[in-house]
Amino acid sequence: MTIHVSWLPHLVAFLALGGLGTWPVSGQTALSITAADKPAEWTISRGGQKLLVYAFGRERFKPCVKELYTLKGDNLLRDAPHDHLHHHALMYAIRVNGLNFWEEISGSGVQKPIASPAPELGTNAAGLAQATIRQTLHWLAPQDAFLPDSPKLALLVEQRTLVLTVDTARDEVALRWTAQFEVGGKTNTVVLEGSTYFGLGVRFLQELDPLADIFNSDGKPDLSNTKQDVTPHDWCAVAFDRPGAPATFAMFGHPANPRGRATWFTMKRPFAYVSATQALHAEPLVYHAGDKWQVDYLIAVYPTVKSAEFLNARAAEWQKNRR
């Protein structure tokens, strides 16, 4: 099914009923969105090639970016690996008032989609093709997850916005992940806590783990043997010098986020992992009814191995213009 972009707002009711749809935006880049209901996913493509899959079905504890591709067509992410089924590719989770939203065991919290309007397709101010996904999520205790939707049950109310931008001039697929939060009606105060890796975390394909070269704006952390590093930096990246299919995954923090500079959790063994955190393991963040805050990150993938100099320049652009 092909529908003009101006009709997108009218798709919400259709999709809520479990419809399937594909629609392109006109122009040279030919971005398109495919919607599936079982499981519930949005797939963004360009010229028939996947760029991103966003998954948010009822069977999930937390929506995630399930797949993210370079412009050469290589997906870098791994969803729900057998060793950690709760690792959902690129995902955001923390602990709220003692309730764990990271793991997926009995008693874990649920990030429940309440509103998932049809994605928007268009271009940014620079004329680059964009797709925007917006969702309202309620962060709920497990006993509230299947009750009638109401902000009164939520610990947190999140307005999530994912903006995917394609820049062919620099071979970049960029994803801006913005999450605006406020305290839900379940409580008057929330205490945000977590382990060293609680935040916006990413898991890579199994075949990429041995190739992972992790570096950041201040150099290379010592990740020998099973060492882990938890230190603040402007950005963190992983290069995969794979014969015939090299790639770089980079994630950029922003100084306007709570606590400013992100604290990065990184490790290489037993598998490669990177997470942008707010150092909640060291000191919780406390918010009260009426408070609003947001986290804002940029993720970029390239079909080449990028240098620290290139990523420093990209970080400066992001911090100045948020694009």
Side-chain angles (χ1 to χ4, degrees):
M1 179 178 66
T2 302
I3 301 177
H4 293 294
V5 175
S6 60
W7 293 7
L8 289 179
H10 302 287
L11 282 173
V12 180
F14 170 74
L15 291 169
L17 294 174
L20 301 175
T22 302
W23 57 97
V25 60
S26 60
Q28 297 179 351
T29 52
L31 281 184
S32 64
I33 300 277
T34 300
D37 66 328
K38 295 181 180 180
E41 294 181 348
W42 296 111
T43 298
I44 302 172
S45 302
R46 175 180 179 270
Q49 175 188 300
K50 284 185 183 180
L51 296 177
L52 177 147
V53 178
Y54 183 69
F56 55 98
R58 285 179 59 88
E59 73 281 359
R60 289 182 173 269
F61 280 74
K62 44 190 176 284
C64 72
V65 173
K66 181 180 175 181
E67 300 171 17
L68 183 63
Y69 293 78
T70 71
L71 283 176
K72 291 291 180 64
D74 295 315
N75 172 46
L76 304 182
L77 306 186
R78 187 181 184 193
D79 183 44
H82 65 87
D83 51 41
H84 289 74
L85 292 174
H86 58 279
H87 285 182
H88 290 299
L90 180 64
M91 67 180 198
Y92 183 80
I94 55 176
R95 190 162 56 241
V96 183
N97 287 6
L99 185 61
N100 190 340
F101 285 86
W102 184 275
E103 295 178 353
E104 298 178 357
I105 57 177
S106 177
S108 294
V110 176
Q111 299 174 17
K112 184 178 181 180
I114 300 301
S116 301
E120 305 157 19
L121 295 168
T123 57
N124 66 7
L128 301 178
Q130 281 191 338
T132 302
I133 294 172
R134 305 181 193 276
Q135 266 193 328
T136 299
L137 304 173
H138 287 174
W139 290 47
L140 298 164
Q143 65 270 21
D144 297 332
F146 298 102
L147 296 178
D149 299 336
S150 169
K152 295 180 180 179
L153 300 174
L155 289 167
L156 297 178
V157 175
E158 177 189 351
Q159 304 297 334
R160 179 173 296 181
T161 305
L162 306 182
V163 181
L164 187 83
T165 306
V166 177
D167 188 341
T168 56
R170 55 184 170 193
D171 271 345
E172 178 186 271
V173 175
L175 175 67
R176 181 177 177 180
W177 183 302
T178 305
Q180 298 176 326
F181 292 97
E182 59 183 307
V183 179
K186 185 79 170 180
T187 181
N188 291 320
T189 301
V190 292
V191 179
L192 311 185
E193 306 168 286
S195 299
T196 53
Y197 44 83
F198 280 19
L200 183 61
V202 60
R203 186 75 187 265
F204 302 101
L205 294 178
Q206 185 174 11
E207 59 267 30
L208 294 178
D209 282 339
L211 303 175
D213 181 19
I214 299 175
F215 57 111
N216 56 53
S217 56
D218 298 297
K220 287 191 178 184
D222 180 6
L223 301 176
S224 57
N225 300 317
T226 57
K227 288 183 180 179
Q228 301 171 352
D229 187 73
V230 185
T231 47
H233 307 285
D234 289 334
W235 54 264
C236 187
V238 188
F240 306 100
D241 195 5
R242 179 170 53 175
T248 301
F249 175 99
M251 195 185 308
F252 305 86
H254 198 280
N257 287 342
R259 297 245 163 93
R261 212 178 191 201
T263 294
W264 300 89
F265 171 91
T266 53
M267 73 178 196
K268 290 182 66 174
R269 296 178 182 84
F271 50 82
Y273 205 85
V274 173
S275 186
T277 85
Q278 296 168 285
L280 297 178
H281 69 286
E283 183 182 0
L285 283 168
V286 180
Y287 294 99
H288 305 285
D291 290 343
K292 295 184 179 182
W293 67 99
Q294 76 171 32
V295 294
D296 202 359
Y297 297 101
L298 181 72
I299 299 98
V301 296
Y302 307 90
T304 56
V305 172
K306 291 297 185 181
S307 67
E309 291 75 20
F310 174 90
L311 296 176
N312 277 327
R314 187 67 179 91
E317 178 187 0
W318 157 244
Q319 291 185 5
K320 181 178 180 181
N321 302 313
R322 293 208 192 189
R323 66 169 184 262

